[in-house]
Amino acid sequence: MPRAIWNGAISFGLVNIPVKLVTATQSKTVRFREIRRGDNSRIRHRKVAASDGEEVTNDQIVKGYEIAPDRYVVLDPEELKALDAKRSRAIDIEDFVDLADIEPLQYESSYYLLPGDMSGKSYELLRRAMEETGKAGVARFTLRSKQYLAVLRPVGKALAVSTLLYHDEVVAPEQLDGLPDDVEVADRELAMATSLIESMTTEWDPSRYEDEHRQRVLELIERKAEGEDIASVPETEREAGDVVDLMAALEASLSAAKAGAASDKGDGQRDTA
């Protein structure tokens, strides 16, 4: 079980619920170290000044904000530290909103909240009330000297808190170039596309989707560790061209989806026979 990285309390109105913050995600990325070919010596990266190539020590490093090419406003670490958010042990809920109204693009990092000592009932009361109403709590809290905007919501039997990007950090669709404009879609085309989507619709089950690339990398590592000689295979790229006949492609896709569904149903009947 992940260890608590923060202890504090959920605060809304006059209610105070002690909680512990634990990570809700864990990276499964396969990590490599940089080594020199031939003797496997570790590669070390040093910080050097661009002007003379001299190595720079940490006490020589300050922050510079570029206001023009090669012109900087220099800020000392102590000046920035003075602007850090005041230490707080509260997740202050400012508003409750409909969870469905929060744009998923704003979600950043997620954590679980566990009830503190003697706060199980108040924790469960808040979780169940939000579950019943479909509401989420918009809050602010400080973690590692930085204040975050966050959303508090029920996830199963737990409460989760996710940090949010601020609205001006998310690119709005209106700012995008190249989106279709004044494109006519025939009713028959829309009906066919809708049927295709419906034929491919299933219940959301995240365990169905595995990181296939990561698995291939781990298998390659295991085979090489066992001394197997791996022959490189040229990579083949799928060409992404324009669909010449949209209706023909939709009809073929729908037929394939129906055939696959029928096959799955037949397999299920044979399995139970």
Side-chain angles (χ1 to χ4, degrees), residues 25-231:
T25 61
Q26 53 181 333
S27 174
K28 296 287 188 176
T29 301
V30 180
R31 301 189 181 278
F32 296 95
R33 295 191 183 277
E34 291 184 326
I35 57 176
R36 183 168 60 188
R37 188 188 299 274
D39 66 356
N40 293 350
S41 177
R42 287 275 303 276
I43 305 298
R44 301 194 181 280
H45 295 270
R46 292 185 170 88
K47 297 176 182 178
V48 298
S51 58
D52 54 18
E54 291 291 326
E55 188 171 353
V56 180
T57 59
N58 287 336
D59 62 336
Q60 294 176 295
I61 298 175
V62 294
K63 303 288 186 181
Y65 184 86
E66 192 169 20
I67 56 175
D70 296 324
R71 288 189 59 204
Y72 299 90
V73 173
V74 177
L75 298 172
D76 190 271
E78 293 301 319
E79 293 177 304
L80 289 172
K81 189 175 181 180
L83 302 178
D84 286 346
K86 293 181 180 178
R87 283 189 171 275
S88 172
R89 291 292 178 182
I91 298 175
D92 292 311
I93 297 179
E94 298 182 0
D95 301 291
F96 284 96
V97 300
D98 288 334
L99 180 58
D101 288 345
I102 300 176
E103 169 54 57
L105 288 173
Q106 282 192 256
Y107 284 103
E108 195 176 23
S109 299
S110 295
Y111 306 87
Y112 283 123
L113 293 169
L114 302 177
D117 297 337
M118 309 299 291
S119 64
K121 183 174 182 179
S122 53
Y123 177 96
E124 175 60 13
L125 178 61
L126 175 60
R127 187 201 68 79
R128 194 174 300 182
M130 286 199 291
E131 188 174 62
E132 290 286 332
T133 59
K135 303 297 183 183
V138 180
R140 296 180 193 271
F141 78 107
T142 302
L143 179 64
R144 301 187 185 98
S145 300
K146 180 179 178 182
Q147 187 184 67
Y148 290 93
L149 179 67
V151 59
L152 189 74
R153 69 192 192 281
V155 176
K157 292 295 185 181
L159 285 174
V161 62
S162 297
T163 57
L164 297 177
L165 298 169
Y166 287 95
H167 71 93
D168 56 357
E169 295 180 292
V170 178
V171 177
E174 294 77 16
Q175 297 176 262
L176 301 176
D177 293 325
L179 292 179
D181 188 27
D182 296 328
V183 175
E184 292 187 6
V185 175
D187 291 343
R188 184 162 175 258
E189 293 172 334
L190 183 58
M192 189 72 71
T194 302
S195 296
L196 177 58
I197 290 173
E198 290 174 347
S199 70
M200 297 175 65
T201 297
T202 185
E203 290 187 4
W204 167 242
D205 178 8
S207 64
R208 292 181 58 194
Y209 310 98
E210 302 288 344
D211 187 338
E212 297 175 354
H213 178 263
R214 183 182 73 205
Q215 189 59 40
R216 290 196 296 269
V217 171
L218 290 174
E219 290 172 357
L220 174 62
I221 291 172
E222 184 177 351
R223 289 161 59 193
K224 294 203 72 171
E226 293 175 352
E228 185 177 340
D229 186 23
I230 308 297

